[in-house]
């Protein structure tokens, strides 16, 4: 008996989940010809139900790592807590003494699909309990401990072998929800079979949230495009100032990273509706990579600011050396982190979240591969900013002329960091809040607002508050307007000349006619 349970338990482990997904897509011959089963997981569960009905008629208890089997002889009532995860309460058996067999599966959710009768998106969020009494029981309650927080809309369900034309699925007929409190869900059912609970991924369906997100992403992308256009205009006027040049390189790459991340965010939102796992995995990887690149380029900008602030001599690292360091840090580090994350979690189907193209939280905590680096960078940059401000204020008091020449560029970088980093830190702090309090619509709205408008802040505190960049743009447009004005003046001058020539030609013809008449 122990060997059978251990074998079945091995078939339900996490590593077997992908294999069961493949098997469930193929037709399977039923062990009983009276029931047409087309799904491998249904066949396994049905075999176990048949197996429990042929056990010896005595009480016993067997427990393995993945399965707990208990057979008990009960009198009028029955109440027992199995592994502190499922509690079964039978108020009235309807007969005298009778036996009941209970099987608790710790990981049957890896085998059975979370397919509800209305095809809605759900998650098996409790252990699966198989009940097999000797005679029918029509009134019983089951209390489940939920496995994952952050899910909503609980449903008390049983596995219906005949659902979906023999594929099998979860049905709630004869079961009602009694309460959902303190991480526990109680159900009342009027029959016995295999039970569990289904819950939906918690995604607040608030029209204001959807509107704010769409509007914010549009403003963000528009702002980033304007930012890149401005940088393109002023690029040739940067000059030989290495600090200014590297600052503009950082701004361009920060804007490009966030713009591409937003594009992939839109693609991911569209893909999540199609439920294509490979496409959603690819979208999640690129979103993760480019959001990390945004933060690491901010770190590169802060390190550049620190280097030029504490450097005593103007000479030091060359421009090319700084570019190599900047691109290695800005794109190399995110690539390593994103690649390691997908390599360690994708094989076990724990890379992406259910119902959305983003890093998983409940299963593998893959989201920490973004949150931890981002928040560490925010803290480091704030420390750098404090050091730099102290140095700048100290040098200003000294009145050193050489330091004053670099002061403008350093102040511009410090000002950008002083605004952008708290904004980014607040944004992803709210992101953590959405995981801790997933039902709090206010936190979701605040996160959507700050997350969507990051591009707007980059535009404002990047090129638009740089007096040199604005003067270059003003000069370019004034020259263009002057050129257009001169062109208009030249056009009207040419037109006047033509009119004068026409009048001169008319006078000449009149003079010739008069001369001819006089001679006649």
């Amino acid at each position: 008996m122990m060997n059978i349970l251990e074998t079945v338990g091995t078939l339900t482990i996490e590593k077997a989940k992908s294999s069961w997904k493949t098997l469930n897509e193929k037709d399977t011959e039923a062990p009983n010809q009276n029931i047409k089963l087309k799904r491998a997981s249904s066949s396994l569960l049905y075999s176990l139900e048949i197996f429990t009905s042929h056990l010896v008629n005595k009480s016993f208890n067997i427990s393995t790592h993945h399965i707990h089997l208990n057979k008990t002889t009960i009198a009028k009532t029955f109440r027992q807590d199995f592994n502190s995860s499922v509690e079964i309460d039978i108020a009235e058996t309807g007969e005298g003494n009778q036996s009941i067999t209970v099987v608790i599966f710790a990981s049957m959710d890896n085998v059975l699909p979370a397919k509800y009768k209305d095809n809605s998106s759900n998650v098996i969020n409790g252990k699966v309990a198989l009940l097999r009494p000797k005679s029918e029981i029509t009134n019983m309650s089951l209390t489940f401990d939920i496995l994952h927080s952050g899910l909503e809309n609980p449903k008390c369900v049983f596995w219906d072998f005949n659902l979906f034309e023999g594929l099998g699925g979860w049905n709630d007929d004869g079961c009602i929800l009694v309460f959902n409190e303190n991480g526990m869900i109680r159900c009342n059912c009027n029959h016995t079979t295999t039970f569990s609970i289904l819950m939906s991924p918690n995604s607040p369906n608030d029209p204001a949230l959807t509107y704010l997100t769409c509007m914010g992403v549009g403003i963000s992308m528009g702002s980033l495009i304007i930012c890149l256009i401005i940088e393109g205009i002023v690029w040739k006027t940067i000059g030989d100032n290495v600090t200014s040049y590297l600052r503009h390189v950082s701004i361009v790459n920060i804007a490009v990273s966030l713009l591409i991340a937003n594009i992939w965010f839109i693609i991911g939102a569209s893909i999540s509706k199609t439920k294509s796992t490979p496409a959603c995995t690819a979208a999640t990887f690129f979103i993760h990579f480019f959001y990390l690149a945004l933060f690491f380029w901010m770190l590169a900008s802060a390190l550049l600011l620190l280097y030029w602030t504490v450097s005593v001599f103007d000479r030091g690292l060359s421009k090319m050396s700084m570019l190599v360091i900047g691109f290695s840090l800005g794109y190399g580090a995110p690539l390593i982190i994103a690649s390691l994350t997908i390599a360690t979690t994708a094989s076990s189907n724990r890379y992406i979240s259910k119902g959305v193209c983003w890093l998983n939280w409940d299963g593998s905590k893959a989201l920490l591969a973004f949150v931890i680096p981002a928040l560490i960078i925010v803290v480091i940059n704030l420390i750098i900013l404090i050091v730099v401000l102290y140095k700048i204020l100290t040098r200003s008091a000294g009145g050193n002329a050489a330091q004053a020449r670099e002061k403008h560029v350093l102040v511009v970088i410090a000002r950008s960091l002083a605004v952008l980093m708290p904004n980014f830190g607040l944004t992803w702090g709210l992101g953590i809040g959405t995981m801790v309090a997933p039902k709090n619509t206010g936190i979701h709205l605040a996160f959507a607002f700050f997350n969507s408008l990051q591009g707007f802040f980059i535009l404002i505190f990047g090129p638009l508050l740089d007096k040199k960049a604005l003067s270059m743009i003003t000069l370019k447009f004034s020259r263009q307007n002057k050129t257009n004005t001169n062109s208009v003046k030249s056009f009207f001058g040419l037109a006047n000349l033509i009119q004068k020539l026409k009048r001169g030609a008319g006078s000449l013809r009149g003079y010739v006619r008069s001369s001819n008449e006089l001679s006649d």
Side-chain angles (χ1 to χ4, degrees), residues 114-160:
K115 191 174 180 66
Y116 186 53
K117 63 180 183 180
D118 64 356
N119 278 318
S120 59
S121 177
N122 292 281
V123 178
I124 299 174
N125 203 24
K127 292 187 177 180
V128 176
L130 188 162
L131 277 69
R132 191 81 175 187
K134 184 178 179 181
S135 59
E136 187 66 22
I137 296 176
T138 58
N139 184 17
M140 59 180 300
S141 70
L142 301 95
T143 304
F144 295 90
D145 288 348
I146 63 173
L147 301 179
H148 308 292
S149 59
L151 300 176
E152 58 183 13
N153 299 326
K155 304 177 185 69
C156 299
V157 293
F158 69 96
W159 186 259
D160 188 345

Side-chain angles (χ1 to χ4, degrees), residues 165-181:
E165 299 181 351
L167 289 174
W170 295 100
N171 198 340
D172 63 352
D173 292 348
C175 292
I176 60 172
L177 175 68
V178 178
F179 71 78
N180 175 19
E181 298 175 358

Side-chain angles (χ1 to χ4, degrees), residues 213-243:
T213 301
C214 294
M215 182 181 68
V217 169
I219 294 174
S220 179
M221 294 180 67
S223 301
L224 292 170
I225 292 173
I226 295 173
C227 177
L228 292 174
I229 292 174
I230 293 175
E231 288 296 326
I233 293 173
V234 304
W235 189 262
K236 295 181 180 180
T237 64
I238 294 175
D240 297 329
N241 189 305
V242 177
T243 308

Side-chain angles (χ1 to χ4, degrees), residues 24-44:
N24 285 333
E25 295 172 354
K26 300 178 181 180
D27 290 352
T28 304
E29 183 178 354
N32 187 337
Q33 297 302 320
N34 296 325
I35 299 179
K36 187 179 181 181
L37 300 179
K38 296 181 180 179
R39 182 166 280 158
S41 54
S42 281
S43 297
L44 175 64

Side-chain angles (χ1 to χ4, degrees), residues 2 16 22 58 145 155 187 269 294 304 334 386 420 459 464 507:
M2 177 70 74
T22 303
K58 64 178 183 179
D145 288 348
K155 304 177 185 69
C187 308
L294 164 70
L304 167 68
I386 294 172
L420 293 178
L459 171 64
L464 291 187
S507 300

Side-chain angles (χ1 to χ4, degrees), residues 195-263:
F195 299 95
S196 189
I197 54 172
L198 295 182
M199 298 184 73
S200 304
N202 185 27
S203 179
N205 188 18
D206 190 338
L209 177 61
T210 303
Y211 176 78
L212 180 63
T213 301
C214 294
M215 182 181 68
V217 169
I219 294 174
S220 179
M221 294 180 67
S223 301
L224 292 170
I225 292 173
I226 295 173
C227 177
L228 292 174
I229 292 174
I230 293 175
E231 288 296 326
I233 293 173
V234 304
W235 189 262
K236 295 181 180 180
T237 64
I238 294 175
D240 297 329
N241 189 305
V242 177
T243 308
S244 179
Y245 175 79
L246 293 174
R247 171 185 171 269
H248 284 280
V249 169
S250 298
I251 290 176
V252 168
N253 283 280
I254 288 170
V256 167
S257 297
L258 184 55
L259 179 61
I260 298 177
N262 284 338
I263 292 172

